[in-house]
């Protein structure tokens, strides 16, 4: 039987995967003997499954590690410090993107946790992404001896290519925005406004407390997020 | 020679202690498979970024990896949840830019002959989203229907029927 109401045709994958009950399986096998279309389909389905099992995974065309390394350095303090707090290592050394080395001490992170409560902007929180809520609980003894601390000052990052990269991406976006649908443009603009607000807040807070580790890290992370967002959106305009 | 799974366990333990060098070794051993998964599930445009997101998430969660399963399986779970989360966020945009090209009859809406010789990976990318996800997870990655059902928040029955749908569509690419 080869008519359009051939319900066995829909069961062929289950048959192939040996997922049919015994009784159904023998019924289907009986049907197969008389139905050429199902027999052919079954052969093709087997080939599809065999191909799926032989797919080869080529590595990505570009090395994705450097950006991952950068991002995990950024989240390192936030996500895992509570597990390392109290060990002999009071500080954790981080290498900056431009080869600078900087260190956050445990007491500073405790201070940062307090600052965080003061910052308390839910929006800023969301954008900061990689920081865990647990960070807000200062489980770290503040009395511990402070380690030698070299802070990466956000202002130094600003002196790098950041501003010009932002400006360039904004130009690309202005030229290409017609190619984006209005919902996307609106979303991006909303996000950018939130990020800019967070950057402003962080800069203001830093001017009052320039050596605050958390604020420095937070500002750098927020600036990076702005770059990422602009880059991704600019890429969309090229589709 | 030490098997990769043993190297993985060692490096995962080191990475959980904050050793980013060990984590980079894990990245090098697994990036091709994670990238392939991301590309097939979400398409080539987002694959790089999703791969990076998946590894960053894995780094953040690696303390939770207890070593009961192989590191590779654990990493896969993390990657799948990142990829599916991304899919949900971008759903609207994607539907607009990549309308379904296959009709409901289980055949491409255009000439079948034009599909012959089409790269199998490309054909997978062109499947409707749900059928593609189920197919990749089941036939490429080897997950069971009940596992896929949990990941995709669908029933096992839907998983089965979407798998069949995907396979039927992909027959068109067989030369
Ligand atoms: Zn039949």
């Amino acid at each position: 039987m080869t008519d359009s109401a051939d319900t066995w045709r829909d069961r062929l994958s289950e048959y192939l995967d040996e997922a049919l009950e015994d009784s159904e399986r023998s019924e289907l096998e009986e049907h197969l003997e008389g139905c050429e279309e199902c027999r052919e389909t079954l052969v093709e389905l087997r080939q599809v499954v065999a191909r799926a099992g032989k797919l080869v995974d080529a590595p990505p065309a570009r090395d994705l590690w450097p950006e991952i390394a950068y991002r995990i350095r950024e989240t390192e303090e936030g996500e895992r410090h509570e597990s390392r707090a109290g060990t002999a290592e009071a500080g954790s050394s981080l290498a900056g993107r431009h080869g600078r080395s900087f260190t956050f001490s445990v007491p500073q992170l405790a201070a940062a946790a307090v600052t965080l409560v003061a910052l308390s902007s839910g929006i800023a929180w969301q954008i900061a992404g990689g920081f865990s809520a647990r960070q807000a609980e200062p489980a770290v003894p503040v009395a511990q001896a402070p380690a030698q601390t070299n802070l990466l000052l956000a202002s130094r990052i600003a002196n790098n290519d950041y501003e010009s990269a932002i400006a360039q991406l904004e130009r690309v976006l202005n030229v290409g925005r017609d190619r984006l649908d209005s919902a996307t443009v609106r979303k991006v603009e909303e996000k950018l406004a939130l990020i800019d607000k967070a950057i402003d807040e962080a800069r203001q807070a830093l001017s009052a407390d320039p050596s605050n580790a958390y604020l420095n890290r937070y500002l750098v992370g927020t600036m990076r997020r702005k770059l990422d967002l602009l880059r991704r959106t600019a890429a969309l305009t090229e589709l | 020679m030490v098997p990769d799974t043993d190297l993985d366990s060692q490096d995962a333990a080191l990475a959980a202690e904050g050793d980013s060098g060990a984590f980079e070794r894990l990245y090098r051993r697994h990036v091709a498979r994670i990238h392939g998964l991301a590309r097939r599930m979400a398409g080539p445009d987002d694959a790089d970024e999703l791969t990076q997101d998946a590894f960053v998430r894995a780094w953040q969660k690696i303390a939770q990896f207890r070593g009961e399963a192989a590191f590779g399986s654990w990493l896969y779970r993390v990657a799948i949840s990142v990829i599916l989360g991304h899919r949900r966020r971008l759903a609207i945009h994607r539907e607009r830019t990549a309308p379904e090209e296959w009709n409901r009859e289980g055949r491409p809406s255009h000439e079948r002959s034009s599909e012959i010789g089409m790269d199998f990976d490309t054909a997978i990318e062109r499947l409707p989203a749900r059928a593609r996800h189920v197919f990749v997870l089941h036939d490429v990655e080897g997950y069971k229907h009940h596992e896929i059902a949990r990941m995709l928040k669908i029933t096992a029955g839907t998983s089965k029927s979407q798998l069949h749908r995907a396979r039927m569509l992909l027959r068109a690419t067989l030369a």
Side-chain angles (χ1 to χ4, degrees):
Chain A
M1 115 177 193
T2 57
D3 60 283
S4 58
D6 185 348
T7 53
W8 286 116
R9 201 160 170 263
D10 294 336
R11 312 296 302 275
L12 291 172
S13 277
E14 287 169 85
Y15 176 71
L16 196 60
D17 296 336
E18 296 177 2
L20 290 178
E21 303 286 333
D22 286 353
S23 59
E24 283 183 313
R25 195 182 61 230
S26 27
E27 276 183 69
L28 192 143
E29 281 169 350
E30 213 169 287
H31 169 81
L32 281 176
E33 295 196 9
C35 181
E36 196 187 340
E37 196 179 330
C38 278
R39 282 202 306 276
E40 279 173 10
T41 303
L42 187 61
V43 170
E44 291 173 339
L45 290 176
R46 265 190 225 288
Q47 289 174 331
V48 168
V49 175
R51 263 208 212 185
K54 279 189 292 199
L55 283 172
V56 179
D57 293 315
R62 66 187 178 95
D63 188 5
L64 305 178
W65 175 254
E67 194 185 326
I68 295 171
Y70 180 73
R71 286 170 61 186
I72 66 181
R73 272 184 228 123
E74 215 178 61
T75 61
E76 180 172 356
E77 300 299 320
E79 284 289 332
R80 358 168 119 233
H81 229 286
E82 73 272 26
S83 65
R84 264 189 264 161
T87 67
E89 278 180 286
S92 173
S93 181
L94 307 178
R97 179 169 259 172
H98 301 286
R100 285 191 204 91
S101 190
F102 53 104
T103 309
F104 302 125
S105 71
V106 171
Q108 274 179 322
L109 279 164
V114 176
T115 313
L116 183 63
V117 178
L119 241 175
S120 82
S121 153
I123 296 159
W125 218 195
Q126 205 183 338
I127 295 166
F131 300 102
S132 83
R134 282 169 300 168
Q135 197 179 11
E137 300 161 17
V140 181
V142 180
Q144 237 168 343
Q148 176 58 43
T149 305
N150 306 304
L151 285 173
L152 170 72
L153 292 176
S155 58
R156 286 163 75 187
I157 282 258
N159 291 337
N160 282 314
D161 335 320
Y162 175 78
E163 298 294 349
S164 71
I166 291 280
Q168 195 188 340
L169 284 166
E170 280 171 346
R171 278 196 300 277
V172 170
L173 267 186
N174 276 331
V175 173
R177 65 188 293 145
D178 294 349
R179 268 167 270 162
L180 298 175
D181 59 272
S182 57
T184 304
V185 170
R186 201 166 54 243
K187 252 187 221 161
V188 169
E189 281 175 347
E190 281 169 10
K191 272 195 195 169
L192 276 177
L194 293 179
I195 293 177
D196 283 340
K197 184 164 177 274
I199 289 175
D200 278 353
E201 285 173 355
R203 280 193 171 135
Q204 275 175 29
L206 265 175
S207 66
D209 186 7
S211 66
N212 187 296
Y214 170 76
L215 287 174
N216 276 286
R217 194 155 38 82
Y218 174 76
L219 177 56
V220 172
T222 311
M223 287 159 77
R224 188 187 61 74
R225 261 159 231 284
K226 179 169 180 177
L227 261 182
D228 279 356
L229 176 63
L230 287 173
R231 271 199 205 111
R232 280 184 220 169
T233 314
L236 280 179
T237 66
E238 287 157 17
L239 287 180
Chain B
M1 210 175 111
V2 188
D4 268 7
T5 46
D6 289 355
L7 293 175
D8 278 356
S9 314
Q10 287 166 19
D11 283 335
L14 290 169
E17 295 295 313
D19 182 341
S20 61
F23 192 69
E24 181 176 358
R25 289 193 293 275
L26 291 166
Y27 163 83
R28 301 274 169 218
R29 283 200 288 276
H30 293 277
V31 64
R33 289 199 63 201
I34 296 297
H35 193 261
L37 175 74
R39 184 164 40 80
R40 291 184 190 109
M41 293 282 279
D45 292 345
D46 297 322
D48 285 0
E49 187 196 325
L50 286 171
T51 301
Q52 289 171 326
D53 288 352
F55 277 98
V56 171
R57 179 86 63 87
W59 169 262
Q60 291 165 343
K61 296 181 74 162
I62 199 160
Q64 292 165 30
F65 171 64
R66 303 269 178 241
E68 290 133 357
F71 174 79
S73 318
W74 178 81
L75 179 64
Y76 254 64
R77 295 283 181 166
V78 172
I80 287 166
S81 102
V82 166
I83 291 164
L84 292 173
H86 166 83
R87 162 77 201 177
R88 284 186 271 274
R89 287 195 305 280
L90 282 193
I92 298 159
H93 178 74
R94 283 282 169 265
E95 292 312 319
R96 289 176 54 104
T97 56
E100 292 208 357
E101 298 190 26
W102 308 82
N103 66 20
R104 285 160 157 225
E105 296 304 304
R107 290 278 161 101
S109 48
H110 37 280
E111 286 287 308
R112 186 179 164 145
S113 61
S114 71
E115 303 301 320
I116 290 175
M118 190 211 283
D119 171 48
F120 195 61
D121 260 323
T122 308
I124 293 172
E125 278 157 22
R126 292 177 56 177
L127 290 171
R130 176 136 297 164
R132 183 176 72 243
H133 292 159
V134 173
F135 178 78
V136 170
L137 292 172
H138 190 281
D139 282 359
V140 182
E141 306 299 344
Y143 288 103
K144 307 259 180 272
H145 285 297
H146 69 268
E147 296 172 306
I148 296 167
R150 248 199 334 264
M151 291 180 210
L152 299 182
K153 301 183 171 69
I154 56 178
T155 64
T158 302
S159 181
K160 282 180 195 173
S161 61
Q162 291 293 322
L163 177 65
H164 185 62
R165 183 184 180 205
R167 287 173 175 175
M168 293 294 274
L169 288 166
L170 289 170
R171 289 181 306 147
T173 66
L174 297 170

